[in-house]
Amino acid sequence: MRPHSSALALGLSSTIAVSQAASLAEICTVEYVTTALPVENLGLAVTIDPSSVSVALTTNRTVSSNWYQTAVIDYCTATFAYSHNGINNDTVQVSYLIPAPDKFSNRYLSTGGGGLAINSGTTYTSGGVAVGAVAGITDGGFGSFNTQYNAVFLEAEGTVNWQATYMFGYQAHHELAALGKQFTRNLFNVPEADKVYSYYQGCSEGGREGWSQAQRFADLFDGLVTAAPAFRLSQLQTNHLSGGVLEEAAGYFPPPCELEKIRNLTIAACDGLDGKVDGVVARSDLCKLQFNYEDTIGEPYYCAASTGGGGATPEQNGTVTREAVAIAKVFTEGLKDSKGRQIYLNPQPGSNFADAQTTYNADTASWEPFILSLGGEWITRFLQLENKSNLDSLSGVTVDQLRDWMAFGMQKYYDSLQTTWPDLTALQAAGTKVLHLHGEADSGIASASSVHYYESVRKIMFGDLSYSDGTKALDEFYRLFIVPGGEHCGPNRAQPNGGWPITTLQTVIDWVEDGAAPDTLDNNGKAITSICRWPLRPLWSGNGTSFDCVFDQESVDSWAYTFDAFNFPVY
Ligand SMILES: *[C@@H]1O[C@H](CO)[C@@H](O)[C@H](O)[C@H]1NC(C)=O
Ligand SMILES: *[C@@H]1O[C@H](CO)[C@@H](O)[C@H](O)[C@H]1NC(C)=O
Ligand SMILES: *[C@@H]1O[C@H](CO)[C@@H](O)[C@H](O)[C@H]1NC(C)=O
Ligand SMILES: *[C@@H]1O[C@H](CO)[C@@H](O)[C@H](O)[C@H]1NC(C)=O
Ligand SMILES: *[C@@H]1O[C@H](CO)[C@@H](O)[C@H](O)[C@H]1NC(C)=O
Ligand SMILES: *[C@@H]1O[C@H](CO)[C@@H](O)[C@H](O)[C@H]1NC(C)=O
Ligand SMILES: [Ca+2]
């Protein structure tokens, strides 16, 4: 159905229907949006409910985030629902922000979620409007845009909701984008001969969602920004328990202040290894190779008592202990099983010890492991299929148990949630570009996780080439940037001069539309002048006056892990 003929059939003014739709206000009506619904045969096996359309007009809104430059935008929010053919009348809602006709730049943008949410509201879509794109989110069919996947994961205890799992895994995003691209074309009457460029942007779970598309639907997007992806999900979630398990085994639970002091001393000791003392550990690899945590033993730490939101904590006053340093050391090396074989990886030195945090128990007046629900719920709900949001305790949980949970979840969800398919040959052939970035000091998802996937793709696709020819071949369509000092999906309070590259969407647009492949990323005016493309690493010389991206084999090797605790490849 061509929207203009339908618009005429509905008796709307023909001035709305010409290729330059007149105004945002004229687009932003239920009638106009209904005529533009993507009811064409897109091969999706879905049925759109035309009576579900709703619209809302927003003008003069100032938006800013880590994902685009501050802008003032006008947009129409158009929401509609569809159901899956052959499934008992399920309902999936999608919502698209539509820019004004004079700002529309023949672009579509899909955006992702975070944690166990499949969307991030308008956090990323606003940036899409700012670059003249129609920008979409999905509710995954979970009941509302605010309902998370874990809320619908169980049909009953013991019974997985596989439809919701495949929707979260990849299917909902495929549908969001396929519908969104056609909807965009219909809304603005873009002729068949003209291209509508299609993009994706997301971080964390949203980074995983982006990869779920890149690995399966080679030409769905022209360009993707996938940041700090939550892929290798079974390992990632289970590993959130690793610090607590190490502490249980050691029988020592460091107060948060003690770990924070070790982090501060690590940053101070490693800051200059990149050639510039600016509070940023831009070479956490050199830090890993050269810094000895034992140098911090005996250093005093102090944190005042707090009644903060996370529960009251007492004053913490002491000196860094041998026990805490031992935990920091094995934690940073990444989890190993009882036979000494590598299970997984952890954040770079200088990062916060988020997965080793303890919490104060006022009843026992002692510190105990803080069990992050992303980790605990992975075990209780997603592996054991109990209607429980966390483990009660880590007591009795061994490193070998963590390994076996990882393997079990990896097998169970290999084709839905794991998201580490390493062969991007079809993506390369389609000409799609992927800009992958990760904060070097990410304490929620280790930056080495992204390096491991990049290197898996390199070995699978170009393993017969030399290392440098292999990375050159990847450079044609897939580039990874490690953001010095960066935390999880944004700048780092502990290393503020690291900054964060907020122009990544524009960067991938320039790569796709103008062939301007990015060699570096800017870091939003902070001290590190640019962010190097993996495997190059930043290095200052001349006492911090001159900056370069250099190749250093020993540093690159320090990011490499072989997960030999598993008898199968872990990409
Ligand atoms: C937009 O908002 C700004 C500040 O909120 C206000 O000063 C300006 O008048 C508004 N412009 C329009 C066209 O509404
Ligand atoms: C789905 O909805 C249609 C229309 O509302 C109804 O006729 C049909 O019985 C429903 N199917 C199921 C399986 O609930
Ligand atoms: C799980 O528990 C919550 C409340 O604790 C309840 O609302 C929900 O219906 C339960 N789900 C299942 C599948 O039993
Ligand atoms: C660590 O350094 C930060 C400043 O970056 C400071 O606010 C904090 O108090 C320090 N923590 C400890 C335990 O000394
Ligand atoms: C911390 O403890 C040391 C040694 O007991 C003491 O000298 C110091 O005053 C204490 N610091 C604070 C701020 O209470
Ligand atoms: C390096 O620069 C810092 C400040 O920029 C200065 O304090 C220091 O003296 C310089 N060191 C040398 C060896 O020039
Ligand atoms: Ca530095």
Side-chain angles (χ1 to χ4, degrees):
M1 149 175 110
R2 299 291 300 158
H4 55 272
S5 53
S6 304
L8 289 168
L10 285 170
L12 299 180
S13 155
S14 61
T15 57
I16 295 173
V18 296
S19 61
Q20 295 300 313
S23 73
L24 186 60
E26 283 169 301
I27 285 177
C28 209
T29 66
V30 168
E31 292 72 23
Y32 186 88
V33 166
T34 303
T35 67
L37 287 174
V39 296
E40 290 83 354
N41 182 2
L42 303 171
L44 289 178
V46 302
T47 302
I48 295 173
D49 175 4
S51 73
S52 65
V53 172
S54 68
V55 296
L57 184 65
T58 302
T59 55
N60 200 25
R61 180 171 167 228
T62 301
V63 291
S64 66
S65 87
N66 290 328
W67 301 100
Y68 47 84
Q69 274 162 329
T70 299
V72 180
I73 54 173
D74 300 335
Y75 56 83
C76 175
T77 307
T79 302
F80 61 85
Y82 62 89
S83 59
H84 290 106
N85 302 345
I87 294 184
N88 289 346
N89 291 347
D90 67 340
T91 301
V92 184
Q93 295 185 89
V94 286
S95 186
Y96 299 93
L97 304 193
I98 305 165
D102 63 337
K103 298 282 167 54
F104 175 62
S105 306
N106 283 36
R107 293 176 183 140
Y108 168 74
L109 174 73
S110 271
T111 68
L116 294 168
I118 198 169
N119 70 75
S120 304
T122 59
T123 301
Y124 297 87
T125 47
S126 302
V129 171
V131 297
V134 172
I137 59 171
T138 176
D139 80 349
F142 305 154
S144 81
F145 287 102
N146 296 318
T147 306
Q148 300 199 355
Y149 165 53
N150 52 342
V152 297
F153 169 76
L154 288 174
E155 303 276 19
E157 288 213 328
T159 304
V160 173
N161 183 344
W162 284 108
Q163 174 65 13
T165 296
Y166 284 106
M167 285 294 277
F168 189 70
Y170 61 86
Q171 191 185 336
H173 267 287
H174 180 221
E175 292 164 354
L176 172 73
L179 293 170
K181 287 161 70 170
Q182 186 65 46
F183 186 43
T184 302
R185 203 171 263 290
N186 296 351
L187 281 166
F188 293 102
N189 274 315
V190 180
E192 294 291 337
D194 289 1
K195 180 141 176 95
V196 171
Y197 288 98
S198 172
Y199 298 98
Y200 179 89
Q201 189 181 35
C203 192
S204 194
E205 163 57 21
R208 187 200 66 77
E209 289 159 18
W211 276 112
S212 78
Q213 305 304 292
Q215 292 165 2
R216 287 180 177 80
F217 310 108
D219 60 0
L220 184 63
F221 298 110
D222 297 293
L224 300 93
V225 179
T226 58
F231 52 19
R232 214 173 301 106
L233 195 71
S234 188
Q235 276 82 1
L236 169 69
Q237 303 295 54
T238 308
N239 193 66
H240 285 307
L241 307 173
S242 63
V245 167
L246 295 173
E247 288 160 359
E248 290 279 358
Y252 182 72
F253 304 95
C257 189
E258 187 176 20
L259 288 176
E260 188 177 296
K261 183 69 181 191
I262 294 174
R263 179 205 70 189
N264 282 5
L265 292 168
T266 306
I267 292 172
C270 293
D271 181 353
L273 296 178
D274 54 31
K276 181 166 186 160
V277 178
D278 56 358
V280 181
V281 181
R283 291 298 294 278
S284 62
D285 37 42
L286 294 177
C287 187
K288 196 167 185 188
L289 293 167
Q290 296 177 24
F291 177 64
N292 192 345
Y293 279 123
E294 276 155 23
D295 294 347
T296 67
I297 295 172
E299 292 292 329
Y301 64 81
Y302 178 80
C303 298
S306 147
T307 54
T313 55
E315 179 185 72
Q316 300 162 61
N317 184 12
T319 56
V320 173
T321 60
R322 190 164 294 281
E323 290 79 6
V325 162
I327 286 164
K329 215 168 147 175
V330 290
F331 180 79
T332 301
E333 284 168 6
L335 205 56
K336 295 190 168 84
D337 72 6
S338 59
K339 294 186 176 143
R341 299 175 302 189
Q342 195 79 34
I343 300 174
Y344 205 52
L345 47 77
N346 264 325
Q348 294 294 106
S351 307
N352 301 316
F353 292 96
D355 284 347
Q357 279 312 300
T358 54
T359 180
Y360 191 67
N361 183 334
D363 296 337
T364 60
S366 61
W367 297 93
E368 52 189 46
F370 173 74
I371 310 177
L372 195 72
S373 69
L374 283 175
E377 186 172 25
W378 179 252
I379 310 304
T380 55
R381 189 180 304 277
F382 294 95
L383 300 189
Q384 298 174 343
L385 311 186
E386 293 175 71
N387 192 11
K388 264 182 79 173
S389 301
N390 209 340
L391 288 165
D392 299 322
S393 136
L394 291 176
S395 121
V397 178
T398 62
V399 288
D400 290 352
Q401 174 72 76
L402 294 182
R403 176 199 62 204
D404 295 346
W405 276 335
M406 288 181 189
F408 177 63
M410 179 175 165
Q411 186 183 41
K412 190 173 185 70
Y413 300 108
Y414 198 73
D415 71 341
S416 53
L417 305 175
Q418 186 73 1
T419 327
T420 47
W421 192 260
D423 181 12
L424 305 178
T425 304
L427 186 95
Q428 177 190 24
T432 300
K433 312 297 186 206
V434 182
L435 196 166
H436 179 171
L437 66 148
H438 207 133
E440 183 155 354
D442 191 324
S443 62
I445 300 179
S447 45
S449 165
S450 282
V451 170
H452 187 77
Y453 179 73
Y454 176 97
E455 293 293 344
S456 294
V457 174
R458 183 188 60 77
K459 284 179 204 156
I460 289 287
M461 290 184 68
F462 305 115
D464 53 340
L465 301 180
S466 69
Y467 187 80
S468 79
D469 286 350
T471 58
K472 236 179 259 159
L474 279 178
D475 272 349
E476 295 300 313
F477 63 98
Y478 170 22
R479 296 184 176 211
L480 169 64
F481 294 86
I482 306 291
V483 181
E487 243 287 11
H488 188 57
C489 298
N492 187 350
R493 259 175 298 171
Q495 303 184 49
N497 286 335
W500 190 257
I502 64 168
T503 52
T504 47
L505 178 57
Q506 187 62 50
T507 299
V508 84
I509 288 172
D510 293 345
W511 190 5
V512 165
E513 297 180 19
D514 303 330
D519 288 329
T520 60
L521 301 180
D522 87 281
N523 77 332
N524 198 19
K526 296 290 184 169
I528 298 289
T529 53
S530 55
I531 297 164
C532 300
R533 181 176 88 254
W534 180 262
L536 302 182
R537 301 295 298 143
L539 187 64
W540 296 89
S541 55
N543 194 22
T545 55
S546 126
F547 178 83
D548 225 339
C549 294
V550 301
F551 184 80
D552 173 354
Q553 188 67 58
E554 202 186 0
S555 288
V556 168
D557 291 347
S558 80
W559 291 80
Y561 293 85
T562 302
F563 300 127
D564 59 341
F566 300 101
N567 287 327
F568 41 79
V570 176
Y571 297 119

